[in-house]
Amino acid sequence: QLVVFLVLSHLHHCLAGVPTSAARTIYYHNNPPNPAGHYSFEFQTTNGITTKGAGNENGAVGVVQYVSIEGIPVTFSYVADANGYQPTGDQIPAIPPHVIRQLEYIASHPAVDERRSRRW
């Protein structure tokens, strides 16, 4: 009996975050864009996915939550506007320092005139 219990416990743990094709929507609410361009939506599914978002002609904001395959709860939020798509969350890796230095170098140096820089 103990072996059966341990096997079932292990299977439950391993499959806890695995999405299934049998997942169903628990809650769904959608406000499509109105004449001014404002919209919002949110939904939740039986496999633990939840999302909310809203926006207008100037951009959008939202949050997404789910459980990873490893069983770790994942949450990230985002803003999308004139500055681009900007997600934030603990599971989003930081930009490596060498990439930041490269971007700073590019921004601080003038563009190369390709035609004048050729030596042939």
Side-chain angles (χ1 to χ4, degrees):
Q1 289 179 354
L2 179 60
V3 173
V4 172
F5 173 76
L6 291 174
V7 169
L8 290 176
S9 294
H10 179 71
L11 282 174
H12 175 73
H13 175 73
C14 290
L15 297 176
V18 177
T20 64
S21 59
R24 294 183 315 276
T25 301
I26 296 171
Y27 175 78
Y28 176 77
H29 185 71
N30 184 35
N31 290 321
N34 64 18
H38 300 268
Y39 68 92
S40 66
F41 63 89
E42 64 181 290
F43 68 86
Q44 182 178 10
T45 63
T46 56
N47 63 353
I49 299 171
T50 303
T51 187
K52 295 180 182 183
N56 58 35
E57 68 278 358
N58 297 314
V61 296
V63 63
V64 177
Q65 298 174 313
Y66 62 94
V67 178
S68 72
I69 293 174
E70 300 80 15
I72 300 168
V74 175
T75 300
F76 71 90
S77 57
Y78 63 88
V79 173
D81 58 17
N83 296 319
Y85 178 71
Q86 306 151 55
T88 57
D90 292 340
Q91 287 78 15
I92 297 174
I95 299 173
H98 70 279
V99 173
I100 294 172
R101 288 192 303 274
Q102 291 169 342
L103 293 171
E104 289 170 349
Y105 178 87
I106 292 168
S108 65
H109 288 77
V112 174
D113 182 347
E114 292 291 335
R115 179 171 259 168
R116 292 185 63 204
S117 69
R118 294 184 186 149
R119 294 196 172 145
W120 61 86

